[in-house]
Protein backbone atom coordinates (compact mmCIF):
# COMPACT_ATOMS: atom_id res chain seq x y z
CA UNK A 1 0.00 0.00 0.00
CA UNK A 2 1.25 3.49 -0.88
CA UNK A 3 1.91 6.07 1.81
CA UNK A 4 -0.74 8.77 2.10
CA UNK A 5 1.87 11.51 1.63
CA UNK A 6 5.38 11.06 0.33
CA UNK A 7 7.74 14.00 -0.12
CA UNK A 8 11.22 13.53 -1.54
CA UNK A 9 13.88 16.25 -1.57
CA UNK A 10 11.31 19.08 -1.59
CA UNK A 11 12.77 22.50 -2.16
CA UNK A 12 11.01 25.85 -2.25
CA UNK A 13 12.77 29.07 -3.14
CA UNK A 14 11.05 32.44 -3.15
CA UNK A 15 12.58 35.10 -5.38
CA UNK A 16 12.06 38.67 -4.20
CA UNK A 17 13.74 41.07 -6.56
CA UNK A 18 17.42 40.15 -6.60
CA UNK A 19 17.14 38.09 -3.41
CA UNK A 20 16.38 34.37 -3.26
CA UNK A 21 15.14 32.85 -0.03
CA UNK A 22 15.30 29.09 0.48
CA UNK A 23 12.20 28.29 2.52
CA UNK A 24 12.67 24.53 2.17
CA UNK A 25 15.95 22.85 1.30
CA UNK A 26 15.65 19.13 0.65
CA UNK A 27 12.76 18.05 2.91
CA UNK A 28 11.76 14.39 2.75
CA UNK A 29 8.78 13.05 4.67
CA UNK A 30 6.48 10.04 4.56
CA UNK A 31 3.09 9.97 6.27
CA UNK A 32 1.05 6.79 6.35
CA UNK A 33 -2.77 6.75 6.38
CA UNK A 34 -4.08 7.17 9.93
CA UNK A 35 -0.80 8.56 11.22
CA UNK A 36 -0.75 11.79 13.24
CA UNK A 37 2.18 14.12 12.60
CA UNK A 38 3.22 17.41 14.22
CA UNK A 39 5.30 19.89 12.26
CA UNK A 40 7.39 21.87 14.73
CA UNK A 41 10.24 24.31 14.43
CA UNK A 42 11.44 27.82 15.04
CA UNK A 43 9.80 30.82 13.44
CA UNK A 44 10.99 31.11 9.85
CA UNK A 45 12.02 27.45 9.58
CA UNK A 46 9.58 26.65 6.73
CA UNK A 47 6.64 25.06 8.59
CA UNK A 48 3.99 27.13 6.84
CA UNK A 49 5.65 26.65 3.46
CA UNK A 50 5.76 22.89 4.02
CA UNK A 51 2.10 22.80 5.06
CA UNK A 52 1.12 24.89 2.03
CA UNK A 53 2.80 22.36 -0.24
CA UNK A 54 1.39 19.32 1.57
CA UNK A 55 -2.07 20.95 1.52
CA UNK A 56 -1.83 21.56 -2.23
CA UNK A 57 -1.95 25.34 -1.86
CA UNK A 58 1.54 25.83 -3.30
CA UNK A 59 3.94 23.88 -5.48
CA UNK A 60 7.55 23.09 -4.65
CA UNK A 61 10.37 24.57 -6.70
CA UNK A 62 11.76 21.04 -7.06
CA UNK A 63 11.45 17.57 -5.60
CA UNK A 64 8.64 15.05 -5.77
CA UNK A 65 5.33 14.87 -3.94
CA UNK A 66 3.11 11.82 -4.17
CA UNK A 67 -0.37 11.92 -2.66
CA UNK A 68 -1.95 8.47 -2.26
CA UNK A 69 0.66 7.17 -4.69
CA UNK A 70 -0.05 9.74 -7.41
CA UNK A 71 2.52 12.36 -8.43
CA UNK A 72 1.00 15.74 -7.53
CA UNK A 73 2.94 17.61 -10.23
CA UNK A 74 0.77 15.96 -12.91
CA UNK A 75 -2.36 17.77 -11.70
CA UNK A 76 -3.53 21.10 -13.09
CA UNK A 77 -4.51 23.91 -10.73
CA UNK A 78 -8.20 23.09 -11.32
CA UNK A 79 -7.62 19.42 -10.50
CA UNK A 80 -5.75 20.41 -7.33
CA UNK A 81 -8.75 22.54 -6.30
CA UNK A 82 -11.00 19.48 -6.60
CA UNK A 83 -8.55 17.34 -4.61
CA UNK A 84 -8.27 20.03 -1.89
CA UNK A 85 -12.05 20.11 -1.65
CA UNK A 86 -12.42 16.35 -1.37
CA UNK A 87 -9.22 15.15 0.29
CA UNK A 88 -7.35 17.89 2.13
CA UNK A 89 -8.60 19.97 5.02
CA UNK A 90 -6.99 22.97 6.66
CA UNK A 91 -7.72 24.83 9.85
CA UNK A 92 -5.92 28.15 9.54
CA UNK A 93 -4.90 30.37 12.45
CA UNK A 94 -7.10 32.97 10.78
CA UNK A 95 -10.33 31.19 9.96
CA UNK A 96 -10.93 32.91 6.61
CA UNK A 97 -14.71 32.91 6.93
CA UNK A 98 -16.37 35.17 4.41
CA UNK A 99 -17.56 38.21 6.39
CA UNK A 100 -20.74 38.80 4.36
CA UNK A 101 -21.93 35.21 4.80
CA UNK A 102 -23.56 33.67 7.87
CA UNK A 103 -22.06 30.74 9.74
CA UNK A 104 -24.46 28.44 7.89
CA UNK A 105 -23.55 29.88 4.49
CA UNK A 106 -19.81 29.66 5.26
CA UNK A 107 -20.18 26.03 6.33
CA UNK A 108 -22.21 25.20 3.20
CA UNK A 109 -19.70 26.74 0.79
CA UNK A 110 -17.37 23.72 0.38
CA UNK A 111 -20.39 21.58 -0.50
CA UNK A 112 -21.39 24.04 -3.21
CA UNK A 113 -17.87 23.89 -4.68
CA UNK A 114 -17.95 20.09 -4.51
CA UNK A 115 -21.32 19.96 -6.29
CA UNK A 116 -22.94 18.39 -3.21
CA UNK A 117 -25.85 20.80 -2.84
CA UNK A 118 -28.11 17.96 -1.71
CA UNK A 119 -26.15 17.85 1.56
CA UNK A 120 -26.82 21.49 2.47
CA UNK A 121 -29.63 20.47 4.84
CA UNK A 122 -27.12 18.34 6.73
CA UNK A 123 -24.97 21.41 7.50
CA UNK A 124 -27.45 22.79 10.05
CA UNK A 125 -27.40 19.44 11.88
CA UNK A 126 -23.59 19.48 11.97
CA UNK A 127 -23.57 23.05 13.28
CA UNK A 128 -26.07 21.93 15.94
CA UNK A 129 -23.72 19.07 16.88
CA UNK A 130 -20.82 21.46 17.50
CA UNK A 131 -22.93 23.96 19.45
CA UNK A 132 -23.28 26.59 16.73
CA UNK A 133 -26.90 25.81 15.79
CA UNK A 134 -28.51 28.73 17.60
CA UNK A 135 -25.92 31.08 16.06
CA UNK A 136 -25.95 29.66 12.52
CA UNK A 137 -27.50 32.85 11.10
CA UNK A 138 -24.87 35.10 12.70
CA UNK A 139 -22.02 36.64 10.75
CA UNK A 140 -18.36 35.98 11.66
CA UNK A 141 -17.99 39.38 13.36
CA UNK A 142 -20.88 38.38 15.64
CA UNK A 143 -19.19 35.16 16.79
CA UNK A 144 -16.36 34.38 19.21
CA UNK A 145 -13.05 33.02 17.96
CA UNK A 146 -14.01 29.52 19.13
CA UNK A 147 -17.33 29.68 17.32
CA UNK A 148 -15.62 30.86 14.15
CA UNK A 149 -13.14 28.00 14.44
CA UNK A 150 -15.94 25.42 14.71
CA UNK A 151 -17.62 26.87 11.63
CA UNK A 152 -14.31 26.74 9.72
CA UNK A 153 -13.70 23.13 10.69
Amino acid sequence: MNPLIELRDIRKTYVMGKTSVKALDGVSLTIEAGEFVAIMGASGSGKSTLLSIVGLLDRPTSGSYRLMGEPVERYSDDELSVIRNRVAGFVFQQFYLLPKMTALENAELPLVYAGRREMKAHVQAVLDDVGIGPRSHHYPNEMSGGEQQRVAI
Side-chain angles (χ1 to χ4, degrees):
M1 183 175 217
N2 292 319
L4 179 65
I5 294 169
E6 186 175 16
L7 306 176
R8 292 289 168 248
D9 199 29
I10 295 292
R11 298 173 191 281
K12 180 67 179 182
T13 303
Y14 294 101
V15 178
M16 295 173 246
K18 295 180 180 180
T19 305
S20 293
V21 176
K22 287 184 180 181
L24 298 174
D25 192 16
V27 174
S28 295
L29 171 69
T30 301
I31 302 173
E32 300 292 338
E35 188 174 11
F36 286 87
V37 176
I39 308 293
M40 302 184 323
S43 179
S45 64
K47 300 179 302 290
S48 294
T49 300
L50 178 62
L51 289 173
S52 291
I53 290 171
V54 169
L56 308 172
L57 296 170
D58 198 3
R59 294 180 186 263
T61 304
S62 65
S64 68
Y65 175 8
R66 297 177 80 78
L67 178 64
M68 298 180 291
E70 295 294 322
V72 169
E73 55 271 10
R74 76 179 189 102
Y75 295 116
S76 69
D77 288 343
D78 287 343
E79 290 170 320
L80 288 176
S81 292
V82 170
I83 294 168
R84 273 194 309 273
N85 183 274
R86 297 193 178 148
V87 176
F90 259 93
V91 178
F92 294 96
Q93 279 182 298
Q94 303 299 322
F95 305 120
Y96 297 111
L97 298 177
L98 299 176
K100 295 185 189 261
M101 295 177 76
T102 65
L104 181 65
E105 292 165 333
N106 269 288
E108 289 173 341
L109 197 56
L111 295 172
V112 172
Y113 288 136
R116 305 287 309 268
R117 294 178 191 270
E118 77 281 358
M119 293 194 62
K120 283 176 69 172
H122 181 68
V123 173
Q124 182 64 55
V126 171
L127 291 176
D128 290 342
D129 288 346
V130 298
I132 300 296
R135 302 186 53 76
S136 63
H137 294 287
H138 285 76
Y139 293 90
N141 68 341
E142 301 170 327
M143 294 183 290
S144 71
E147 289 168 331
Q148 290 179 45
Q149 183 177 45
R150 285 178 273 160
V151 171
I153 292 170

